[in-house]
Amino acid sequence: MMISKILLAVEDIDGLIAMEEFIAQLRWRESIRVKILHVIELKTPIPAWLDSRIRAEAFMEEALDHLSGRFPELDIESSLLEGSARDVIVAKAEDWGADAILVGTEGRHGLDKFFLGSVSKDVMINANCSVIVLRNVKSSANSTGDQKKLQQA
């Protein structure tokens, strides 16, 4: 099976950088289309949601510019959606006709994993396409650090 459409479900800059390195290792990457997806969870109160939306829009613009610069041979687009990440990722992959979803995991264990759940696990169970999980993708703490990480990558 040839993979021609990959959905990158990114949460933050660390996840994007890990996914970028994965794509760089693909020998057949000239023939793939990539969609970067970021989901804003709707559990956030309105003022925080607006701040999250503004930061997410800036992140997605930067992510698209960065990946397009690194991989000019790829057809790359982005999508910023709202809802439950586990549901939105699976639905978007199906709607777009993705052959594979690339998702990161922070490697939570014990009670953290029990209470917070696992988006990557739910995506693997519910997706109609292949799912590639990049393990132990660490969350970044601040947006200034995010910008420096993208510039270094």
Side-chain angles (χ1 to χ4, degrees), residues 27-82:
R27 298 180 196 273
W28 41 264
R29 69 175 180 260
E30 302 82 27
S31 62
I32 64 173
R33 292 178 58 200
V34 174
K35 181 179 289 278
I36 308 165
L37 173 65
H38 180 76
V39 180
I40 300 172
E41 294 278 346
L42 293 176
K43 300 180 245 180
T44 312
I46 297 295
W49 172 87
L50 185 57
D51 184 52
S52 293
R53 177 87 190 179
I54 291 167
R55 284 186 284 117
E57 287 171 354
F59 168 68
M60 290 300 283
E61 185 176 328
E62 205 169 330
L64 182 61
D65 289 346
H66 179 75
L67 284 184
S68 295
R70 172 93 189 264
F71 304 112
E73 72 278 13
L74 296 183
D75 178 10
I76 303 174
E77 57 187 88
S78 67
S79 186
L80 178 61
L81 300 174
E82 299 165 0

Side-chain angles (χ1 to χ4, degrees), residues 37-141:
L37 173 65
H38 180 76
V39 180
I40 300 172
E41 294 278 346
L42 293 176
K43 300 180 245 180
T44 312
I46 297 295
W49 172 87
L50 185 57
D51 184 52
S52 293
R53 177 87 190 179
I54 291 167
R55 284 186 284 117
E57 287 171 354
F59 168 68
M60 290 300 283
E61 185 176 328
E62 205 169 330
L64 182 61
D65 289 346
H66 179 75
L67 284 184
S68 295
R70 172 93 189 264
F71 304 112
E73 72 278 13
L74 296 183
D75 178 10
I76 303 174
E77 57 187 88
S78 67
S79 186
L80 178 61
L81 300 174
E82 299 165 0
S84 165
R86 52 187 44 98
D87 297 332
V88 171
I89 293 167
V90 170
K92 187 63 175 179
E94 191 170 320
D95 290 346
W96 187 56
D99 300 309
I101 301 169
L102 196 54
V103 64
T105 181
E106 295 177 3
R108 289 189 179 105
H109 299 299
L111 289 177
D112 276 351
K113 186 172 184 175
F114 178 77
F115 286 113
L116 297 173
S118 173
V119 171
S120 56
K121 177 183 159 196
D122 287 347
V123 170
M124 286 187 335
I125 291 169
N126 295 302
N128 291 329
C129 62
S130 297
V131 178
I132 302 164
V133 179
L134 299 177
R135 302 242 177 247
N136 297 321
V137 174
K138 303 293 181 201
S139 291
S140 55

